[in-house]
Amino acid sequence: MVIVSLSITDSLLSDLDFLKEEMGFTNRSEAIRYAIRGLISEKMIEFKSSENIVATITGLYNKSVNKDVLARLQHDYDDLIKTLLHVHLDEINCLEVMVVKGNGDVLNELIHKLRSLKGMKELKHCVTSSK
Ligand code: NI
């Protein structure tokens, strides 16, 4: 491992120390490594194209989502979407988890289309492998 130094504000350091305690990290470096891995997992496919991205996409949406448009979109990307889990959370909200595998550019395209759907309240993705 290499040693790097960084400059951060007192308040950010205080938040980091709080999370270090709450999440059980043994030191600040471990907490910072965890944070960096999270950022890489979340953002890397947005900047780096890759052929074999494995990821999950989690979408929380409400009744106003056009179900036909959503279903068509998912059929358009059926090469990418390996499986899909749908949960009716309550009378108005649904949660969907898609497991995807394929090209990073195509995955990005799908994420952007899903995110732009009216009624999509939250959309997150997590890359689990990008070898
Ligand atoms: Ni539902």
Side-chain angles (χ1 to χ4, degrees):
M1 274 200 239
V2 293
I3 295 173
V4 294
S5 63
L6 75 158
S7 306
I8 58 173
T9 62
D10 289 344
S11 114
L12 196 54
L13 186 61
S14 163
D15 288 347
L16 178 70
D17 286 341
F18 174 79
L19 285 179
K20 178 181 77 90
E21 293 302 319
E22 290 297 313
M23 297 176 76
F25 294 117
T26 52
N27 53 51
R28 288 173 177 163
S29 292
E30 197 181 312
I32 290 169
R33 282 194 295 273
Y34 180 87
I36 292 171
R37 277 190 216 102
L39 181 68
I40 289 169
S41 164
E42 184 187 354
K43 296 291 179 190
M44 194 56 104
I45 62 165
E46 292 176 22
F47 307 107
K48 188 179 166 191
S49 179
S50 175
E51 275 309 309
N52 280 303
I53 298 272
V54 177
T56 56
I57 303 172
T58 303
L60 173 68
Y61 60 86
N62 63 28
K63 267 182 179 172
S64 66
V65 157
N66 185 323
K67 300 279 195 321
D68 291 338
V69 173
L70 178 59
R72 204 177 313 125
L73 191 55
Q74 288 168 332
H75 281 157
D76 287 347
Y77 288 87
D78 65 346
D79 282 350
L80 191 76
I81 301 171
K82 301 304 172 192
T83 192
L84 186 150
L85 171 77
H86 183 101
V87 181
H88 307 297
L89 288 180
D90 52 42
E91 299 78 32
I92 55 166
N93 293 298
C94 295
L95 181 88
E96 274 190 14
V97 180
M98 286 161 260
V99 177
V100 295
K101 182 177 181 228
N103 178 275
D105 290 335
V106 181
L107 175 55
N108 257 327
E109 200 179 275
L110 173 62
I111 288 168
H112 287 127
K113 286 179 183 176
L114 288 167
R115 194 167 275 147
S116 68
L117 290 176
K118 182 180 170 285
M120 187 61 72
K121 295 162 81 175
E122 205 173 320
L123 193 93
K124 291 184 175 177
H125 65 272
C126 179
V127 176
T128 55
S129 165
S130 60
K131 205 173 162 215

